[in-house]
Amino acid sequence: MNKQTVDNDDSRLVSEVFDAVAHRYDLMNDLMSLGTHRVMKRVFCDSIGLRPGHHVLDIAGGTGDISRLIASIVEPSGSVTMLDINESMLRLGRDRLIDEGRADVAFVLGNAEAIPLPDDSFNAVTIAFGIRNVARKETALLECHRVLKPGGRLAILEFSTPKSRRLNAMFRVYRRIWPITGLFVVGNAQPYEYLVKSIDQHPSQEAMLSLLEVAGFKDLKFENLLGGIVAIHQGIR
């Protein structure tokens, strides 16, 4: 099996996973994170240094949590473009934000590995809990670099590696219950088995910095949240 076949299989699996969980996505996030994901997303958005008038690309926008927070910062003269590879998730986020009257958010169905948008378009690109689902992270980071304006910022919020061995062990035990919770709440354990696997395979904080450096980003930094269970990575084009 060649790499392209593997990548296609991964993309198909990710699509099936999010098709299965879209209708209960936010509820499961609340249950799995004990509500902390909402706080972390707000901390994430506040850390980027956005201002009114900025134009922002929100990759893997899902149900629109990040796009909503960003829109409230950059309005009225700024804009948000929400991109997601999964049509079910994008439709859910679009419907929710349109119902809230968010006319300053555009919606694009697309792959982070081949962003269907022009060069030098955005002041910031955000990816919240989405980069681990990208098969070719190096390609996606190069695409983020391409669509950013010079001096623009990439900000990534993602599960990471706790620095404490005890915390790491506790988190591994805790996430074993996610598939069971998914079976009862969503009716399907497989998407959350995939979630646990994707966290296990995701690069460490230092490895993510290396990927960002190879993609051409500068002034790199990361900040651990919840002891490193989650981390914010940022870099400047």
Side-chain angles (χ1 to χ4, degrees):
M1 182 179 291
N2 61 34
K3 186 178 188 299
Q4 184 62 47
T5 303
V6 171
D7 289 344
N8 288 340
D9 287 346
D10 287 345
S11 296
R12 190 178 304 111
L13 174 60
V14 170
S15 181
E16 291 172 356
V17 163
F18 285 100
D19 280 339
V21 305
H23 66 296
R24 293 288 180 89
Y25 184 76
D26 288 333
L27 174 59
M28 279 298 297
N29 281 348
D30 283 334
L31 291 173
M32 291 186 300
S33 73
L34 304 178
T36 60
H37 77 101
R38 299 182 185 275
V39 177
M40 288 187 288
K41 288 173 180 176
R42 187 168 293 280
V43 169
F44 172 63
C45 291
D46 288 344
S47 76
I48 303 170
L50 298 172
R51 300 192 303 272
H54 276 176
H55 302 285
V56 183
L57 174 62
D58 179 25
I59 295 176
T63 58
D65 285 356
I66 298 295
S67 291
R68 179 191 298 108
L69 290 169
I70 292 172
S72 68
I73 298 172
V74 303
E75 63 185 5
S77 53
S79 66
V80 181
T81 299
M82 191 174 96
L83 181 143
D84 205 291
I85 194 173
N86 183 269
E87 188 171 2
S88 297
M89 295 293 288
L90 186 68
R91 187 184 304 116
L92 184 61
R94 179 196 63 198
D95 291 348
R96 179 172 296 175
L97 292 176
I98 288 176
D99 288 345
E100 294 176 2
R102 286 290 180 191
D104 46 1
V105 180
F107 306 92
V108 176
L109 183 66
N111 191 334
E113 297 175 14
I115 298 172
L117 296 166
D119 297 358
D120 307 335
S121 297
F122 299 97
N123 302 103
V125 173
T126 60
I127 313 174
F129 299 114
I131 192 67
R132 74 178 187 282
N133 298 317
V134 177
R136 295 177 295 182
K137 293 177 178 58
E138 300 88 345
T139 302
L141 294 175
L142 286 170
E143 280 289 273
C144 292
H145 192 278
R146 177 184 66 80
V147 300
L148 277 168
K149 296 178 180 182
R153 182 181 298 271
L154 171 64
I156 299 171
L157 176 68
E158 189 54 86
F159 288 106
S160 200
T161 307
K163 297 294 97 179
S164 161
R165 290 185 179 180
R166 178 174 295 180
L167 180 59
N168 195 15
M170 291 173 60
F171 184 47
R172 285 181 176 276
V173 171
Y174 178 65
R175 61 185 185 243
R176 288 177 189 169
I177 71 172
W178 292 354
I180 300 170
T181 305
L183 181 62
F184 284 99
V185 175
V186 180
N188 189 347
Q190 184 179 9
Y192 298 96
E193 292 170 354
Y194 164 80
L195 171 59
V196 172
K197 180 180 177 181
S198 71
I199 295 172
D200 289 340
Q201 296 178 345
H202 186 65
S204 68
Q205 291 90 328
E206 292 77 15
M208 275 299 301
L209 284 183
S210 296
L211 290 175
L212 288 165
E213 184 176 20
V214 169
F217 289 96
K218 301 176 181 179
D219 297 331
L220 301 174
K221 62 181 180 179
F222 73 85
E223 176 186 0
N224 284 327
L225 305 179
L226 300 179
I229 289 175
V230 172
I232 299 171
H233 282 78
Q234 299 192 37
I236 303 295
R237 176 183 169 183

CSV table of all heavy atoms in Angstrom, one decimal, residues 3 6 20-21 26 36 41 45 54 68 81 94 130 146 155-157 164 167 173 180 186 207 215 221 223:
chain,number,residue,atom,x,y,z
A,3,LYS,N,1.8,5.5,0.0
A,3,LYS,CA,1.5,6.6,1.0
A,3,LYS,C,0.2,7.3,0.6
A,3,LYS,O,-0.6,7.6,1.4
A,3,LYS,CB,2.6,7.6,1.1
A,3,LYS,CG,2.4,8.6,2.1
A,3,LYS,CD,3.6,9.6,2.2
A,3,LYS,CE,3.5,10.5,3.4
A,3,LYS,NZ,2.3,11.3,3.4
A,6,VAL,N,-2.7,5.3,1.8
A,6,VAL,CA,-2.8,5.5,3.3
A,6,VAL,C,-3.4,6.8,3.6
A,6,VAL,O,-4.4,6.9,4.4
A,6,VAL,CB,-1.4,5.4,3.9
A,6,VAL,CG1,-1.5,5.8,5.4
A,6,VAL,CG2,-0.9,4.0,3.8
A,20,ALA,N,-20.3,10.7,12.0
A,20,ALA,CA,-21.0,10.0,13.0
A,20,ALA,C,-21.3,10.8,14.2
A,20,ALA,O,-22.3,10.6,14.9
A,20,ALA,CB,-20.1,8.7,13.4
A,21,VAL,N,-20.4,11.8,14.5
A,21,VAL,CA,-20.5,12.5,15.8
A,21,VAL,C,-21.1,13.9,15.7
A,21,VAL,O,-21.3,14.5,16.7
A,21,VAL,CB,-19.2,12.5,16.6
A,21,VAL,CG1,-18.6,11.1,16.7
A,21,VAL,CG2,-18.2,13.4,15.8
A,26,ASP,N,-20.8,18.8,20.4
A,26,ASP,CA,-20.6,19.7,21.5
A,26,ASP,C,-20.9,19.1,22.8
A,26,ASP,O,-20.2,19.3,23.8
A,26,ASP,CB,-21.4,21.0,21.3
A,26,ASP,CG,-20.9,21.9,20.2
A,26,ASP,OD1,-19.7,21.8,19.9
A,26,ASP,OD2,-21.7,22.6,19.6
A,36,THR,N,-14.2,22.1,30.3
A,36,THR,CA,-13.0,23.0,30.2
A,36,THR,C,-12.7,23.4,28.8
A,36,THR,O,-11.9,24.4,28.6
A,36,THR,CB,-11.8,22.3,30.8
A,36,THR,OG1,-11.5,21.1,30.1
A,36,THR,CG2,-12.0,22.0,32.3
A,41,LYS,N,-10.7,27.3,24.7
A,41,LYS,CA,-10.9,28.0,23.4
A,41,LYS,C,-10.9,29.5,23.6
A,41,LYS,O,-10.4,30.2,22.7
A,41,LYS,CB,-12.2,27.5,22.8
A,41,LYS,CG,-12.1,26.1,22.3
A,41,LYS,CD,-13.5,25.5,21.8
A,41,LYS,CE,-13.4,24.1,21.3
A,41,LYS,NZ,-14.7,23.5,20.9
A,45,CYS,N,-8.2,32.0,21.9
A,45,CYS,CA,-8.5,33.2,21.0
A,45,CYS,C,-7.9,34.5,21.6
A,45,CYS,O,-7.5,35.3,20.8
A,45,CYS,CB,-10.0,33.3,20.8
A,45,CYS,SG,-10.7,32.0,19.8
A,54,HIS,N,-9.1,42.6,11.4
A,54,HIS,CA,-8.3,41.4,11.0
A,54,HIS,C,-9.2,40.5,10.2
A,54,HIS,O,-10.4,40.3,10.5
A,54,HIS,CB,-7.7,40.7,12.2
A,54,HIS,CG,-6.4,41.3,12.7
A,54,HIS,ND1,-5.7,40.9,13.8
A,54,HIS,CD2,-5.6,42.4,12.1
A,54,HIS,CE1,-4.6,41.6,13.9
A,54,HIS,NE2,-4.6,42.5,13.0
A,68,ARG,N,-16.9,31.8,16.1
A,68,ARG,CA,-17.8,32.8,16.8
A,68,ARG,C,-17.0,33.7,17.7
A,68,ARG,O,-17.2,34.9,17.8
A,68,ARG,CB,-18.8,32.0,17.7
A,68,ARG,CG,-19.8,32.8,18.5
A,68,ARG,CD,-20.5,32.0,19.5
A,68,ARG,NE,-21.4,31.0,18.9
A,68,ARG,CZ,-21.2,29.7,18.9
A,68,ARG,NH1,-20.1,29.3,19.5
A,68,ARG,NH2,-22.0,28.9,18.3
A,81,THR,N,-13.2,33.4,8.0
A,81,THR,CA,-13.5,32.3,7.0
A,81,THR,C,-13.4,31.0,7.7
A,81,THR,O,-12.3,30.7,8.2
A,81,THR,CB,-12.6,32.4,5.8
A,81,THR,OG1,-12.8,33.6,5.1
A,81,THR,CG2,-13.0,31.2,4.8
A,94,ARG,N,-22.2,26.3,10.1
A,94,ARG,CA,-22.8,27.4,9.3
A,94,ARG,C,-24.3,27.7,9.8
A,94,ARG,O,-24.6,28.8,10.0
A,94,ARG,CB,-22.9,26.9,7.8
A,94,ARG,CG,-23.5,27.9,6.9
A,94,ARG,CD,-23.8,27.3,5.6
A,94,ARG,NE,-24.8,26.2,5.8
A,94,ARG,CZ,-25.1,25.3,4.9
A,94,ARG,NH1,-24.4,25.2,3.8
A,94,ARG,NH2,-26.0,24.4,5.1
A,130,GLY,N,-7.7,20.3,15.6
A,130,GLY,CA,-7.9,19.7,14.2
A,130,GLY,C,-6.7,19.2,13.6
A,130,GLY,O,-6.7,18.4,12.7
A,146,ARG,N,1.3,29.8,3.4
A,146,ARG,CA,1.0,30.4,2.0
A,146,ARG,C,-0.1,31.4,2.1
A,146,ARG,O,0.0,32.5,1.5
A,146,ARG,CB,0.7,29.3,1.0
A,146,ARG,CG,0.3,29.9,-0.3
A,146,ARG,CD,-0.1,28.7,-1.3
A,146,ARG,NE,-1.3,28.0,-0.8
A,146,ARG,CZ,-2.6,28.5,-1.0
A,146,ARG,NH1,-2.7,29.7,-1.6
A,146,ARG,NH2,-3.6,27.8,-0.6
A,155,ALA,N,-1.9,30.0,14.8
A,155,ALA,CA,-2.1,29.6,16.2
A,155,ALA,C,-2.8,28.2,16.2
A,155,ALA,O,-3.9,28.1,15.5
A,155,ALA,CB,-3.0,30.6,16.9
A,156,ILE,N,-2.3,27.3,16.9
A,156,ILE,CA,-2.8,25.9,17.0
A,156,ILE,C,-3.1,25.5,18.4
A,156,ILE,O,-2.3,25.7,19.3
A,156,ILE,CB,-1.8,24.9,16.4
A,156,ILE,CG1,-1.5,25.3,14.9
A,156,ILE,CG2,-2.3,23.5,16.5
A,156,ILE,CD1,-0.4,24.4,14.3
A,157,LEU,N,-4.3,25.1,18.7
A,157,LEU,CA,-4.7,24.5,20.0
A,157,LEU,C,-5.0,23.0,19.8
A,157,LEU,O,-5.8,22.6,18.9
A,157,LEU,CB,-6.0,25.2,20.4
A,157,LEU,CG,-6.7,24.7,21.7
A,157,LEU,CD1,-5.8,25.0,22.9
A,157,LEU,CD2,-8.1,25.3,21.9
A,164,SER,N,4.1,16.0,33.4
A,164,SER,CA,4.2,15.2,34.6
A,164,SER,C,3.9,13.7,34.2
A,164,SER,O,2.9,13.5,33.5
A,164,SER,CB,3.2,15.7,35.7
A,164,SER,OG,3.0,14.6,36.6
A,167,LEU,N,0.5,12.8,35.7
A,167,LEU,CA,-0.6,13.4,35.0
A,167,LEU,C,-0.8,12.7,33.7
A,167,LEU,O,-1.9,12.5,33.2
A,167,LEU,CB,-0.4,14.9,34.8
A,167,LEU,CG,-1.5,15.7,34.0
A,167,LEU,CD1,-2.8,15.6,34.7
A,167,LEU,CD2,-1.1,17.1,33.8
A,173,VAL,N,-5.5,7.0,31.4
A,173,VAL,CA,-6.6,6.2,32.0
A,173,VAL,C,-7.9,6.8,31.8
A,173,VAL,O,-8.9,6.2,31.4
A,173,VAL,CB,-6.3,6.0,33.6
A,173,VAL,CG1,-7.5,5.4,34.2
A,173,VAL,CG2,-5.1,5.1,33.8
A,180,ILE,N,-16.6,4.5,25.7
A,180,ILE,CA,-17.8,4.0,26.4
A,180,ILE,C,-18.8,5.1,26.5
A,180,ILE,O,-20.0,4.8,26.3
A,180,ILE,CB,-17.4,3.5,27.8
A,180,ILE,CG1,-16.4,2.4,27.8
A,180,ILE,CG2,-18.6,3.0,28.6
A,180,ILE,CD1,-15.8,2.0,29.1
A,186,VAL,N,-23.6,8.9,21.8
A,186,VAL,CA,-23.7,9.0,20.3
A,186,VAL,C,-24.3,7.7,19.7
A,186,VAL,O,-24.8,7.7,18.6
A,186,VAL,CB,-22.4,9.4,19.8
A,186,VAL,CG1,-22.4,9.5,18.2
A,186,VAL,CG2,-21.8,10.7,20.4
A,207,ALA,N,8.2,18.6,19.2
A,207,ALA,CA,8.1,18.1,17.8
A,207,ALA,C,7.2,19.0,16.9
A,207,ALA,O,7.5,19.2,15.8
A,207,ALA,CB,7.6,16.6,17.8
A,215,ALA,N,8.3,24.4,8.2
A,215,ALA,CA,7.3,25.1,7.3
A,215,ALA,C,7.6,26.6,7.1
A,215,ALA,O,6.9,27.2,6.3
A,215,ALA,CB,5.9,24.9,7.9
A,221,LYS,N,6.6,29.7,19.6
A,221,LYS,CA,6.4,29.5,21.1
A,221,LYS,C,5.2,28.5,21.3
A,221,LYS,O,4.4,28.3,20.4
A,221,LYS,CB,6.1,30.8,21.7
A,221,LYS,CG,4.8,31.5,21.2
A,221,LYS,CD,4.6,32.9,21.9
A,221,LYS,CE,3.3,33.5,21.5
A,221,LYS,NZ,3.1,34.8,22.1
A,223,GLU,N,2.5,27.3,24.7
A,223,GLU,CA,2.0,27.4,26.1
A,223,GLU,C,1.2,26.2,26.4
A,223,GLU,O,0.3,25.8,25.7
A,223,GLU,CB,1.2,28.7,26.2
A,223,GLU,CG,0.5,28.9,27.5
A,223,GLU,CD,-0.4,30.1,27.6
A,223,GLU,OE1,-0.6,30.7,26.5
A,223,GLU,OE2,-1.0,30.3,28.7
